[in-house]
Amino acid sequence: MISKLLLGLAALLLSQISSAAELTQVGQKASAKAQQQVRDTELQQLEKAKAAANDTHAREQVLLQQQTGSPWQAAEQAKAQQQFNERKQREAKYLQEAQAAAAKEQKMDKPKMKIIKRKTED
């Protein structure tokens, strides 16, 4: 009877050990599957990011081509630049004249005031 009991316990231990080994294998399979899923997700995100960067670059190129537009715009820019340069030259001229005037000694005449005498009552 004891031997039957020992055989039963041994069988039970062997089944638990084998189920533990199966659990370990299942855990390893799940871990490998999760790692593969992470890699796939990262690759998808990388591809999406590359596609978005390419789209952004294409939009930037279209905008740049639109900005470097017509000869009319170039003429207007040249005209505006010329006006800016003329205004800058006038300001420099006025500043130079003001500095010259400030450096020059000014001689001020004495103010001529008429002295008014008060009438005194006697």
Side-chain angles (χ1 to χ4, degrees):
M1 186 151 162
I2 293 179
S3 61
K4 285 183 181 182
L5 186 61
L6 286 175
L7 282 173
L9 284 174
L12 182 64
L13 280 173
L14 286 176
S15 67
Q16 287 181 352
I17 290 173
S18 66
S19 64
E22 288 174 5
L23 286 175
T24 304
Q25 288 177 350
V26 169
Q28 289 174 350
K29 287 179 183 178
S31 175
K33 186 177 179 181
Q35 289 175 352
Q36 182 62 36
Q37 196 172 23
V38 165
R39 277 184 250 132
D40 291 343
T41 304
E42 287 177 350
L43 285 174
Q44 288 174 353
Q45 290 176 346
L46 181 62
E47 288 172 5
K48 286 180 183 179
K50 285 180 181 179
N54 288 337
D55 290 345
T56 302
H57 182 69
R59 284 195 305 270
E60 288 174 351
Q61 292 302 318
V62 168
L63 287 175
L64 284 175
Q65 288 175 356
Q66 289 175 353
Q67 288 177 353
T68 57
S70 66
W72 174 81
Q73 286 178 329
E76 288 298 312
Q77 283 181 331
K79 184 177 167 183
Q81 185 65 41
Q82 181 184 3
Q83 289 174 348
F84 175 77
N85 291 341
E86 289 172 359
R87 187 177 318 116
K88 193 173 179 180
Q89 288 173 355
R90 278 195 308 272
E91 288 176 359
K93 177 183 160 191
Y94 295 148
L95 179 63
Q96 186 179 14
E97 289 175 358
Q99 287 174 341
K104 191 176 180 183
E105 232 179 89
Q106 301 280 331
K107 182 178 178 185
M108 296 181 67
D109 295 333
K110 285 188 176 178
K112 296 181 180 178
M113 296 178 69
K114 188 174 182 183
I115 299 176
I116 302 173
K117 293 185 180 179
R118 290 189 174 178
K119 291 184 184 179
T120 56
E121 289 183 33
D122 290 324

